[in-house]
Amino acid sequence: MKTVTLHDKTFLLLLRAADIDRAIAGMAERMNRELRDARPLFLVILNGAFMFASDLIKQITVPGTQISFVKVASYSGTRSSGEVRELIGLNEDLAGRTVVILEDIIDTGRSMAHLLDHLRGKHPDRLLVATLFHKPAAAECHIPVDYCGFPLGNDFIVGRGLDYDGLGRNLPDLYVLNPTV
Ligand code: IMP
Ligand code: MG
């Protein structure tokens, strides 16, 4: 069994790069069909979605495709809710656009729920969610997922853009935290 050690933890191979590539190709094909006339704006959520976005977008053939990169910065605010999330780098006007959010993973869904709330305020015509990985059993918020690469269990994963404490983003395969170690 292929494993990788990052910091103090050992991870086991979960999905091979070729299988992930195939799922992304299928997603691109669906988007090319469904968004044919939409002049879509892809919104890449950094850092985690960089690799997924690169793999997907080079297969998008829809005329008028645009790409923007944004980062959600979390910091402890002074409000009672504790955490404030700010969207950095969004310069495009979303009004009337078809916006496709590209995320690496939806876990509890909290990050995506905040992001959707924020982006709805900018009056896009359509707001679509595309995520490479989804942990449906971890959901704390209802997120309408329009495009999903792989539904997964609740275990912690790394690779394919996802990190464990800064390491593992470069791995082309996906690994899962070894539950027995
Ligand atoms: P959520 O708000 O709980 O949906 O999680 C959002 C963020 O947590 C994701 O965008 C990832 O950056 C990170 N995350 C969630 N699950 C994992 C995982 O299994 N491995 C690495 N990062 C994760
Ligand atoms: Mg992320």
Side-chain angles (χ1 to χ4, degrees):
M1 173 55 97
K2 200 169 163 189
T3 67
V4 66
T5 300
L6 303 170
H7 296 298
D8 55 328
K9 294 195 172 12
T10 302
F11 296 83
L12 309 177
L13 181 68
L14 183 65
L15 294 171
R16 288 180 193 284
D19 296 319
I20 301 171
D21 290 342
R22 206 170 303 119
I24 295 173
M27 195 186 289
E29 202 180 303
R30 242 189 85 200
M31 287 177 175
N32 284 333
R33 226 179 316 119
E34 295 174 359
L35 305 177
R36 198 171 41 216
D37 304 311
R39 308 188 78 76
L41 172 63
F42 288 90
L43 216 56
V44 183
I45 312 303
L46 298 174
N47 296 321
F50 81 96
M51 196 181 285
F52 166 46
S54 167
D55 292 336
L56 177 87
I57 290 169
K58 66 193 168 198
Q59 301 180 70
I60 296 295
T61 55
V62 174
T65 291
Q66 288 185 307
I67 306 157
S68 189
F69 300 87
V70 299
K71 189 156 184 160
V72 182
S74 303
Y75 56 93
S76 295
T78 50
R79 292 188 215 155
S80 55
S81 65
E83 203 180 347
V84 179
R85 289 186 178 85
E86 191 194 356
L87 195 62
I88 299 172
L90 183 61
N91 303 314
E92 280 74 14
D93 182 8
L94 303 190
R97 301 291 308 264
T98 293
V99 176
V100 185
I101 301 172
L102 299 186
E103 235 320 6
D104 51 357
I105 186 165
I106 297 175
D107 186 346
T108 64
R110 285 196 203 185
S111 310
M112 186 57 76
H114 272 83
L115 188 62
L116 287 170
D117 270 356
H118 183 87
L119 295 176
R120 276 190 200 107
K122 300 191 176 296
H123 311 292
D125 178 37
R126 266 194 305 173
L127 202 46
L128 301 172
V129 174
T131 189
L132 183 52
F133 305 113
H134 187 201
K135 297 181 181 175
E140 290 176 18
C141 317
H142 173 72
I143 304 293
V145 178
D146 300 281
Y147 300 92
C148 172
F150 295 89
L152 299 175
N154 282 356
D155 300 316
F156 190 81
I157 55 170
V158 288
R160 209 69 192 204
L162 290 145
D163 73 304
Y164 164 52
D165 208 4
L167 296 182
R169 286 196 202 277
N170 55 312
L171 299 166
D173 302 309
L174 191 75
Y175 293 81
V176 62
L177 182 62
N178 185 352
T180 63
V181 174

